[in-house]
Amino acid sequence: GEHGLSEEHGNSAFGPVSEHKLNLEKKRLDFCLQSIKKNGYLITSELPREYNGFPRGYFLISNSGEWVFRIVGAKHRAAALIWLGWKNIPVCCEPNFPKCIYESEISNWPGVLSGEFTLKDAKLIFDSYFRDPDLKIWS
């Protein structure tokens, strides 16, 4: 959970989420968008003195050799930049994660081993990053 919402409200990384969580995410996205429009894209700020860094993540690599970069940190800023038309966004690897996650190793993923995800659900989530964006994957 975050911002006073329990984990029953869902996870923004893979959903589903409650109406309250959706509203929180919309507010966060709007805040980032308005901030970037007003101040530009800043990775550091003076007041308060902060280093936000670049969006962070890791590579997902399919069995066919395709890859995507999955953002796990600063996803709201990245989404705002995409909305603003950026074609290239500087990123870095998340230091606490492996640099690459391979589809071929799905049965050894921590979330699968812990029982957080079934193998089928993990594969569905993984495949969603490689799908045609117009393809609906939920019912």
Side-chain angles (χ1 to χ4, degrees):
E2 60 181 338
H3 293 270
L5 297 177
S6 67
E7 61 185 41
E8 285 84 38
H9 286 273
N11 186 313
S12 62
F14 53 84
V17 297
S18 70
E19 193 72 27
H20 292 296
K21 177 70 171 170
L22 182 61
N23 288 332
L24 170 65
E25 294 301 324
K26 288 191 297 189
K27 287 178 186 173
R28 293 170 84 181
L29 285 165
D30 189 55
F31 176 82
C32 285
L33 180 61
Q34 298 312 316
S35 176
I36 291 170
K37 281 181 175 180
K38 179 181 176 186
N39 305 308
Y41 178 55
L42 306 173
I43 61 166
T44 60
S45 63
E46 293 302 315
L47 294 171
R49 185 173 297 279
E50 293 181 316
Y51 176 73
N52 295 316
F54 295 110
R56 301 172 316 283
Y58 54 87
F59 292 94
L60 295 173
I61 301 176
S62 73
N63 288 336
S64 65
E66 293 178 278
W67 60 269
V68 297
F69 189 80
R70 181 173 184 276
I71 295 174
V72 296
K75 59 188 171 197
H76 299 93
R77 284 185 281 148
L81 293 171
I82 291 166
W83 177 261
L84 291 169
W86 284 46
K87 300 294 182 206
N88 296 295
I89 299 172
V91 297
C92 63
C93 287
E94 172 61 52
N96 300 318
F97 285 45
K99 289 183 176 32
C100 298
I101 303 292
Y102 296 91
E103 179 182 10
S104 61
E105 298 172 3
I106 194 168
S107 60
N108 294 319
W109 293 353
V112 173
L113 290 174
S114 72
E116 181 180 0
F117 302 108
T118 65
L119 190 60
K120 181 181 175 184
D121 287 343
K123 179 79 167 106
L124 179 67
I125 293 167
F126 184 90
D127 288 346
S128 73
Y129 289 97
F130 295 91
R131 78 186 196 306
D132 175 337
D134 296 324
L135 178 65
K136 185 178 176 182
I137 59 171
W138 58 91
S139 46

